[in-house]
Amino acid sequence: MPSDKPFEAPFEDGLGEALRRTGETFAPPDRAALVDAGLTLGRRRVARRRAAVVTGSTLALAAVGIGGAYGGGLLGGGQGGGRGGETSLAAPDPTRTGATRTAPAPGTDAALIAILTGLLPGGELKNPTTNSSDGGPGFRSVRGVFDDGKGDAEISVGLTRAAGTEAEQQVTCPDKVITGHDDCAENELADGSRLMVFQGYVYPDRREDTKNWRAVLLTSDGFLVDASEYNAPAEKGAAISRTDPPLNPARLKALVTSDEWRTPLNELPTRPPGAGDSGNSAGTDDHTRDTLVSLLPAGLEVTGEGGQEGFVYLVVDDGKGPSYVQINVQPGMAGVAKELFTGATTLPDGTLLKTAKRAGEKGVGGIRMWTADTLRPDGLRVVVSAFNAADQITPATRENPALTMKQLTAIATSQKWLTRP
């Protein structure tokens, strides 16, 4: 059994952005970031350019659905490219009272730009662009910088055909313990459509205060309309230009529920069967949850729980204050051994074990994160962490986590993980 490492400084937070932007692979600069990169390899494939809502967390890898999640919606960051092959485009309706617009870049879809422009309150939509490539088959988007005289704000709308359980995830409010936000509401509309309106931040850990407000409509006939707005002229890399994004929740709802989107939605090509759908629910992994609870030492009371695909968390209390515990169980991870387990202890059964004590991932002062990371010879990876706080975004509630490193190691190396449903 290796000895505990000394308490370390926080590792770089830039990883969260990489997870949101690509969801695929990247080359992080340090070992802690490599831990996160390795976990992403175990995720089932989702659409490119997703924007995961969980920022910087080693384990909380959100089930983000079609092309994105609460942080960025159906669209990634940056300006989209033009749509090729478009030869006959609708012109803006001069009778509309919405925003004026500057000329779109060559090759963009003026029909989508005209719709977005007409649905915005008075102002100017600057540098409008469209894209039909990032979301895969059956996807179109439009974005621009809206200027209503109160500060520039990026606004974007993505249109796609719904894809099974991942579409349901798009209109389900995130767990506030995992994804810090100010407000979120879900509603079923009279026609059977489902609507989610989310008010949060580009970085849920508030490393920057850029706000992201989002509305997503899942229509009863199987389409998604996903609008995002920011209180800055760009999602990232731009100074905050106003207190709040320009559209309040009621206006966001009106934007995504407008009948103006019906024509471009109906023009979307049919998605291939199963495209963009992992076939998995966004709910908690019950087997992982039950196994983790069964492995907790005596004297701990479970006071909270939750999770998403491939991830479970518990809040436990031993009478000395709440302590957040998170776990990720991933098969097929043998390929990360060389990158992530250099210098690991090899146990008698061939399992590789690394332990670490470091500061919390979200930059909240005083939070400590203790982790046991294991990789079995068959590629099964079990990573479990405990914190001295009830979550990762509020102040510490106790000096150390409720679980010792020895107890975390016992959980991660338990033979119970070898039995999966």
Side-chain angles (χ1 to χ4, degrees):
M1 191 75 63
S3 60
D4 291 349
K5 297 182 180 179
F7 189 73
E8 300 173 358
F11 63 87
E12 295 179 0
D13 288 330
L15 168 68
E17 180 175 347
L19 285 175
R20 272 193 311 278
R21 279 292 142 248
T22 64
E24 295 172 352
T25 59
F26 62 102
D30 56 15
R31 190 205 68 80
L34 279 171
V35 172
D36 292 318
L39 287 175
T40 65
L41 298 178
R43 296 292 308 279
R44 289 182 173 86
R45 185 171 179 245
V46 296
R48 287 184 73 242
R49 299 296 301 271
R50 63 193 180 176
V53 301
V54 181
T55 306
S57 174
T58 300
L59 301 176
L61 301 176
V64 297
I66 303 169
Y70 308 99
L74 297 171
L75 308 173
Q79 295 298 324
R83 188 179 181 206
E86 196 78 39
T87 57
S88 177
L89 304 176
D93 184 344
T95 65
R96 286 181 176 166
T97 59
T100 59
R101 66 181 178 90
T102 58
T108 58
D109 186 339
L112 282 183
I113 293 172
I115 293 173
L116 178 57
T117 300
L119 293 174
L120 295 174
E124 179 185 9
L125 186 65
K126 300 187 291 189
N127 303 319
T129 59
T130 63
N131 199 343
S132 60
S133 61
D134 280 358
F139 173 84
R140 296 172 73 187
S141 68
V142 56
R143 71 168 73 234
V145 177
F146 180 59
D147 180 5
D148 60 358
K150 301 177 183 179
D152 286 356
E154 180 179 302
I155 293 180
S156 59
V157 177
L159 310 175
T160 190
R161 290 186 181 271
T165 56
E166 290 184 352
E168 298 291 326
Q169 296 165 19
Q170 294 293 308
V171 290
T172 301
C173 287
D175 188 327
K176 202 165 188 176
V177 170
I178 300 174
T179 306
H181 56 272
D182 292 333
D183 196 17
C184 188
E186 304 171 24
N187 298 103
E188 182 169 339
L189 306 183
D191 64 356
S193 300
R194 290 179 56 189
L195 173 71
M196 182 196 73
V197 178
F198 171 85
Q199 294 175 275
Y201 298 83
V202 170
Y203 295 97
D205 59 9
R206 304 291 295 276
R207 74 187 75 171
E208 295 178 9
D209 277 334
T210 307
K211 294 181 180 180
N212 171 215
W213 291 2
R214 181 176 173 225
V216 186
L217 178 73
L218 174 59
T219 70
S220 57
D221 57 345
F223 293 101
L224 280 169
V225 182
D226 188 338
S228 286
E229 58 170 344
Y230 308 90
N231 61 331
E235 178 185 1
K236 296 188 183 118
I240 293 172
S241 57
R242 52 194 298 147
T243 302
D244 292 322
L247 306 183
N248 63 25
R251 283 192 175 275
L252 271 177
K253 175 183 176 181
L255 177 62
V256 297
T257 58
S258 172
D259 289 338
E260 296 285 338
W261 301 114
R262 178 50 57 179
T263 295
L265 286 172
N266 289 336
E267 293 173 350
L268 292 173
T270 302
R271 301 175 69 93
D277 187 2
S278 68
N280 292 285
S281 167
T284 300
D285 181 336
D286 290 336
H287 175 78
T288 299
R289 181 263 179 205
D290 293 344
T291 303
L292 176 58
V293 170
S294 74
L295 293 171
L296 292 176
L300 288 180
E301 178 187 2
V302 177
T303 60
E305 62 181 69
Q308 301 175 88
E309 178 189 352
F311 164 75
V312 168
Y313 78 82
L314 302 175
V315 180
V316 301
D317 197 329
D318 58 359
K320 300 177 182 179
S323 179
Y324 179 84
V325 179
Q326 62 182 20
I327 191 165
N328 192 282
V329 181
Q330 295 180 304
M333 297 294 287
V336 305
K338 185 178 295 186
E339 295 173 302
L340 305 183
F341 286 85
T342 301
T345 297
T346 302
L347 304 182
D349 65 354
T351 296
L352 300 177
L353 168 67
K354 295 197 81 168
T355 61
K357 292 184 177 182
R358 58 178 180 261
E361 301 168 313
K362 307 289 188 179
V364 178
I367 292 187
R368 297 182 176 184
M369 175 182 181
W370 294 2
T371 299
D373 192 352
T374 62
L375 182 66
R376 285 180 166 82
D378 65 355
L380 179 67
R381 188 177 183 200
V382 180
V383 192
V384 58
S385 296
F387 300 76
N388 62 332
D391 53 49
Q392 298 191 61
I393 57 178
T394 56
T397 56
R398 48 191 297 144
E399 182 179 358
N400 291 315
L403 296 175
T404 66
M405 187 63 76
K406 182 177 180 180
Q407 291 168 335
L408 289 169
T409 299
I411 291 173
T413 57
S414 171
Q415 296 298 303
K416 288 187 177 183
W417 301 116
L418 300 180
T419 303
R420 299 284 294 174

